[in-house]
Amino acid sequence: MAQNEAYHEISRKIALVGNHLPRHCGIATFTTDLLTALAAEAPEIEFWGVVMNDTPEGYRYPSQVRFEVNQRTLSDYRLAADFLNMSQVDVVCLQHEFGIFGGDNGTYILDMLANLRMPSVTTLHTVLQTPTAGQITIIRRIAQISDRIVVMSRRSEAVLREVYNIPQDKVVLIHHGIPDVPFVDPNYYKDQFGVEGRKVLLTFGLLSPGKGIETVLDALPKVVEQNPDVVYIVLGATHPHVKKEQGEGYRLSLQRRARDLGIEKHLIFHNRFVDLAELCAFLGATDVYVTPYLNREQVVSGTLAYALGAGKATVSTPYWYAEEMLAEGRGRIIPFQDAEALASQVNDLFTKEVERHAMRKRAYTFCRDMIWSKVARRYLDLFSVVKQERKSRPRAVFPIKTMNTVPGEIPNPDLSHIIRLTDNVGILQHTKFIVPNRLHGYCTDDNARALIAILMAQDLTIEDRVIADLACTYISFLYHAYNENAGRFRNFMGYDRRWSEETGSEDSHGRAVWGLGEAIALCQSDDIRGAALDLFERALPALIDFESPRAWSFALVGIHAYLRKFSGDSEVRRIRERLANRLFQLYQENATSQWPWIEQTVTYANGKIPQALIMSGQWVPNEEMIQAGLCSLEWLIDIQTDDRGYFIPIGNNGWYIRGGAKARFDQQPIEALNMIEACRQAYNVTSDTKWIAYAQRCMEWFLGRNDLGVPLYNHKTGGCFDGLTVDGPNRNQGAESTLACVLSLLNLHKLRSSQVAVEASAAIAGLDSSQGR
């Protein structure tokens, strides 16, 4: 009780951030078990869960879960920090795994951590020996913000020190927790599962290809030869992410393999997620536990920890956690994917019963300090230490979050109106208010833009099947639009499915290439990517003879997207260089210090020109090209910003001729989108936050900060008015304007995600500089 009182003096509320049951994943199980153990050890403290949701509807969480974060929405992470700060939580304990947070490499979690006022302790569930540059930045920034880093293996300690340059005194080893179960004879539990009198092999956990179950199946015939009474139990549901992508294809492939090997009488699949009590019973019935995992760099395995804690004889592949835990005779190690070695070791353990039971005893004894109650006490002790250390340091000053210190709020993208406008042919061009107007049919331009929008939105909590269906519809339209004889895309098609021309504009062809290139880069389905790739390749040759600089620019953006996926394609790189040089030459021939532009008139899709120049200059590479793009973009922002600081796009009723007056109306949503996309590219190259401010200014045009003071974005419908006229907004909400608004929102969310990563890199660079690295 005295220790509990000490904990209480230090903390009244502690929050664990991660996942939580009933979500099915290893982090959810760990967080739930740790939270339960902490509450049992210190009942006078409130323990809360802050959880990541990967589905729109979330889960039916228990009462200890106090805040839910849409893992793909950056603003939710800052809201979580605000909630924890205002709730006066004393310590936050983050469970970190790259894949459970939004943004590239899970960048979004940094925004929450950086805005916390209380001490934080981060438990790393993955520590990579060969991380990407982005992953190194994330882990180092987490270590910089956190008061302590917890790892669950000695190998993790060494990797953090040697690869990530994290000081050893900031890292604490606390083993993965395990349930406290008695050391019993496996025969005690076997009748519960109908395997009495049989030798039981077990592997449990969420099923996925990386588990290496095939190796056990391939070994089983030789095990059966010597032990005809053996049965192998594969316990666990298919991993939700695997099931979403492949259904039960992987499990069915294992079952087919078993039948081909003639071992179906010796194999039991339990396709369900079991609770702790049932799991302990399965472990109790096990004679030999097997972890045939394929990833050498795996630094923790909850399933292995549970098996050893239950006193199981274990055979495993040599991933790092297994090598550490099975040392000193606590288990047997075999090479990866070596079925003969696995069969040999299993048969040997079944033959040498005395050795098997001695191994069981060694494992069980070693794990006594890993039971959840002891692990919880170690965490509580650590929480006390970091809270006391924080008290001894000068109190950090957290400025009031006035509007000028936080990013402007923007809506989450809504695909409702895009879906409303889409039928089984494609997306319709126009509407009467929000009702699709079939009179004007379809166009290639809008279907290309729609393809990009829905694939950029797949990171939102939208059903994958909906995304796939829409992507198929838009790509199918582009296939139908492509005229094989001319090697060009048609553009306009009536509702009667008759084309109004045999060859569309160069711009529409460029937009189609843009859409296909982005689809190749963004699509998560190999089948859909393959379809886009085939059409992309056929559409490229026509670009060489084009004269439209906007067609070049649209195509260049699509080509760059394609090369993000297939950077080694020399022919596409040559086409990129030719188009980029022609665009840059046009700039050099026409631009002056007072008029840094490619033409004598500023017309439409203006932001696409500097976007293409900046992007091409970055990757060709050509520094002068980058500067030309930045200069022209800065100029476009200047001539389209009024004295109030409002974005005022060049109107299409007269444009802006050099030496003349700028047309004020009609102002088109597509112009705001092109400027936002260009600003995003400028920020990616320069890391200068002024480009984020400019992009935000353009976004606010949609939201009401414009000449007429009226919002164009319709929160209720998810649509966007078709521009601003001198008489007011055009209240029709057609495809071009709606897609422009949705793409603007998506690009701004991406831009803010990039900002979090850039700020993390800058913070790490500052740390290295201060330490003389």
Side-chain angles (χ1 to χ4, degrees):
M1 185 61 185
Q3 183 65 66
N4 285 358
E5 289 174 355
Y7 294 144
H8 184 60
E9 288 176 7
I10 298 301
S11 301
R12 292 169 293 115
K13 297 175 185 174
I14 294 174
L16 273 63
V17 179
N19 295 339
H20 197 287
L21 297 175
R23 181 173 175 178
H24 290 171
C25 71
I27 301 294
T29 301
F30 182 93
T31 308
T32 303
D33 289 345
L34 178 57
L35 193 151
T36 302
L38 289 167
E41 289 302 307
E44 71 286 354
I45 300 176
E46 290 186 64
F47 292 95
W48 295 354
V50 174
V51 298
M52 307 295 124
N53 281 335
D54 61 345
T55 63
E57 63 277 8
Y59 300 87
R60 294 179 63 86
Y61 293 111
S63 59
Q64 60 262 35
V65 172
R66 296 294 299 274
F67 196 90
E68 299 177 40
V69 172
N70 178 340
Q71 70 181 52
R72 299 181 178 96
T73 302
L74 178 58
S75 59
D76 275 14
Y77 290 81
R78 187 161 297 200
L79 290 175
D82 290 343
F83 170 78
L84 293 167
N85 290 334
M86 289 186 288
S87 299
Q88 297 185 321
V89 168
D90 294 283
V91 179
V92 166
C93 183
L94 170 68
Q95 307 305 312
H96 182 267
E97 176 71 67
F98 289 108
I100 71 171
F101 305 113
D104 294 339
N105 298 309
T107 312
Y108 289 0
I109 193 60
L110 297 180
D111 207 39
M112 188 203 81
L113 275 179
N115 284 283
L116 293 176
R117 299 185 181 187
M118 70 290 295
S120 59
V121 172
T122 297
T123 303
L124 298 180
H125 291 257
T126 294
V127 179
L128 299 173
Q129 174 79 31
T130 54
T132 64
Q135 289 166 338
I136 289 177
T137 297
I138 298 296
I139 295 301
R140 294 195 66 199
R141 180 59 176 152
I142 287 174
Q144 184 184 35
I145 298 170
S146 302
D147 293 76
R148 289 292 191 281
I149 296 293
V150 173
V151 294
M152 291 176 268
S153 66
R154 295 291 180 193
R155 182 61 183 245
S156 297
E157 288 182 299
V159 172
L160 288 180
R161 185 175 61 254
E162 296 164 4
V163 176
Y164 298 85
N165 295 316
I166 295 174
Q168 189 168 355
D169 60 2
K170 200 161 195 177
V171 180
V172 177
L173 173 66
I174 302 179
H175 278 292
H176 193 296
I178 59 173
D180 190 4
V181 297
F183 186 79
V184 296
D185 186 330
N187 293 314
Y188 179 81
Y189 287 99
K190 289 183 179 180
D191 61 333
Q192 294 185 32
F193 306 109
V195 292
E196 60 271 25
R198 304 189 70 173
K199 298 184 179 74
V200 177
L201 300 176
L202 174 70
T203 299
F204 82 86
L206 294 171
L207 195 62
S208 65
K211 298 293 186 182
I213 304 298
E214 298 90 339
T215 304
V216 188
L217 300 186
D218 292 344
L220 212 52
K222 290 193 174 181
V223 176
V224 171
E225 283 180 16
Q226 294 188 30
N227 298 277
D229 56 348
V230 74
V231 61
Y232 178 41
I233 298 175
V234 181
L235 175 63
T238 301
H239 196 289
H241 292 166
V242 174
K243 191 170 183 178
K244 190 186 329 184
E245 292 294 323
Q246 306 174 14
E248 291 291 357
Y250 177 60
R251 184 183 297 274
L252 294 175
S253 74
L254 294 177
Q255 293 174 358
R256 288 193 299 272
R257 193 184 195 111
R259 292 189 184 95
D260 291 343
L261 291 167
I263 55 172
E264 60 267 36
K265 293 181 181 180
H266 301 271
L267 185 61
I268 300 172
F269 280 96
H270 284 286
N271 183 10
R272 55 198 175 88
F273 191 87
V274 296
D275 61 24
L276 180 59
E278 191 173 9
L279 172 59
C280 290
F282 270 104
L283 282 169
T286 300
D287 294 294
V288 175
Y289 187 73
V290 184
T291 59
Y293 303 161
L294 305 179
N295 177 17
R296 180 164 182 76
E297 293 189 19
Q298 186 166 336
V299 292
V300 67
S301 167
T303 66
L304 179 59
Y306 275 40
L308 295 175
K312 299 293 106 180
T314 301
V315 179
S316 177
T317 49
Y319 58 94
W320 289 338
Y321 188 68
E323 286 183 321
E324 190 169 313
M325 294 297 290
L326 300 183
E328 299 177 354
R330 294 187 292 271
R332 302 275 183 90
I333 295 290
I334 60 164
F336 290 106
Q337 296 179 303
D338 191 332
E340 288 194 12
L342 176 57
S344 175
Q345 291 295 336
V346 169
N347 285 330
D348 189 60
L349 286 173
F350 281 145
T351 301
K352 299 175 180 177
E353 189 169 348
V354 172
E355 167 57 20
R356 186 173 80 247
H357 287 299
M359 180 187 294
R360 292 182 57 217
K361 190 67 175 178
R362 287 191 290 270
Y364 186 83
T365 302
F366 177 79
C367 292
R368 287 311 83 206
D369 286 336
M370 294 169 56
I371 61 174
W372 275 117
S373 60
K374 293 184 178 182
V375 167
R377 285 196 287 273
R378 288 215 59 198
Y379 272 97
L380 287 167
D381 290 339
L382 183 58
F383 298 156
S384 297
V385 168
V386 297
K387 188 66 190 280
Q388 289 284 27
E389 287 177 351
R390 186 67 69 92
K391 280 185 174 183
S392 67
R393 297 202 301 266
R395 182 176 175 81
V397 176
F398 288 86
I400 298 172
K401 291 185 177 180
T402 52
M403 286 182 61
N404 66 317
T405 63
V406 296
E409 292 187 29
I410 57 173
N412 286 322
D414 181 356
L415 301 188
S416 300
H417 196 53
I418 294 175
I419 294 170
R420 185 180 296 118
L421 288 170
T422 302
D423 61 15
N424 63 348
V425 174
I427 190 167
L428 288 154
Q429 288 189 78
H430 295 298
T431 64
K432 285 292 184 180
F433 297 94
I434 67 166
V435 178
N437 186 346
R438 301 176 183 180
L439 178 64
H440 300 283
Y442 316 83
C443 71
T444 292
D445 292 334
D446 289 338
N447 279 274
R449 283 187 284 252
L451 178 60
I452 299 168
I454 59 100
L455 290 175
M456 284 186 70
Q458 67 191 334
D459 286 340
L460 305 174
T461 47
I462 297 169
E463 287 187 23
D464 291 350
R465 187 166 295 177
V466 173
I467 295 293
D469 288 347
L470 289 169
C472 287
T473 297
Y474 302 138
I475 292 177
S476 177
F477 184 92
L478 295 178
Y479 262 96
H480 188 49
Y482 186 70
N483 184 334
E484 289 281 1
N485 295 328
R488 293 279 299 277
F489 288 95
R490 307 174 182 94
N491 194 14
F492 297 107
M493 185 175 76
Y495 190 71
D496 60 0
R497 302 194 184 187
R498 294 182 182 179
W499 292 102
S500 63
E501 79 261 288
E502 287 304 302
T503 301
S505 67
E506 291 184 1
D507 286 1
S508 66
H509 191 101
R511 289 189 188 97
V513 171
W514 173 34
L516 292 165
E518 293 286 2
I520 292 163
L522 296 170
C523 195
Q524 296 175 359
S525 163
D526 289 340
D527 294 325
I528 297 175
R529 179 183 294 113
L533 179 60
D534 174 66
L535 190 54
F536 177 85
E537 290 174 344
R538 284 193 266 166
L540 286 178
L543 296 171
I544 302 301
D545 297 323
F546 282 4
E547 298 297 328
S548 165
R550 284 161 183 80
W552 302 338
S553 299
F554 287 121
L556 279 168
V557 176
I559 286 170
H560 283 294
Y562 166 85
L563 289 171
R564 292 204 308 268
K565 192 70 180 177
F566 300 107
S567 60
D569 191 325
S570 300
E571 178 59 24
V572 175
R573 288 163 63 184
R574 282 189 285 269
I575 293 172
R576 174 180 66 182
E577 188 166 0
R578 289 179 66 179
L579 296 180
N581 286 336
R582 289 170 72 182
L583 185 62
F584 184 42
Q585 182 180 351
L586 194 63
Y587 176 87
Q588 291 176 311
E589 290 171 353
N590 288 275
T592 68
S593 59
Q594 300 300 311
W595 186 268
W597 194 234
I598 62 168
E599 300 163 326
Q600 298 305 300
T601 305
V602 180
T603 56
Y604 65 95
N606 300 308
K608 222 48 178 193
I609 304 299
Q611 181 189 5
L613 285 171
I614 296 166
M615 194 175 277
S616 300
Q618 181 183 10
W619 296 109
V620 168
N622 185 324
E623 183 60 30
E624 290 184 10
M625 198 179 290
I626 293 175
Q627 292 307 315
L630 293 173
C631 180
S632 61
L633 178 57
E634 188 98 55
W635 179 73
L636 284 174
I637 290 165
D638 182 59
I639 66 171
Q640 296 181 105
T641 301
D642 71 3
D643 294 339
R644 300 165 296 175
Y646 288 13
F647 173 65
I648 309 295
I650 300 297
N652 64 7
N653 187 14
W655 306 119
Y656 178 27
I657 300 173
R658 185 173 185 177
K662 289 179 282 188
R664 196 79 175 191
F665 294 99
D666 294 347
Q667 298 175 20
Q668 298 299 316
I670 200 71
E671 297 308 315
L673 166 63
N674 287 318
M675 292 297 291
I676 289 170
E677 290 178 321
C679 287
R680 180 183 169 196
Q681 185 59 36
Y683 179 76
N684 288 343
V685 170
T686 67
S687 300
D688 190 333
T689 55
K690 72 180 182 182
W691 302 112
I692 298 177
Y694 292 153
Q696 179 73 29
R697 181 187 301 169
C698 297
M699 187 70 243
E700 288 172 353
W701 179 85
F702 288 101
L703 305 178
R705 200 164 180 253
N706 53 48
D707 262 342
L708 303 183
V710 295
L712 285 85
Y713 176 63
N714 188 323
H715 292 263
K716 188 174 182 179
T717 67
C720 176
F721 295 150
D722 284 347
L724 287 180
T725 74
V726 68
D727 299 317
N730 179 339
R731 300 191 67 84
N732 295 329
Q733 298 171 40
E736 180 182 290
S737 57
T738 295
L739 289 164
C741 186
V742 169
L743 282 165
S744 294
L745 289 168
L746 288 164
N747 273 280
L748 207 57
H749 280 282
K750 294 285 188 183
L751 187 51
R752 289 186 176 172
S753 175
S754 299
Q755 184 183 13
V756 173
V758 168
E759 289 174 349
S761 296
I764 293 302
L767 177 65
D768 287 346
S769 177
S770 67
Q771 294 176 345
R773 289 201 180 109

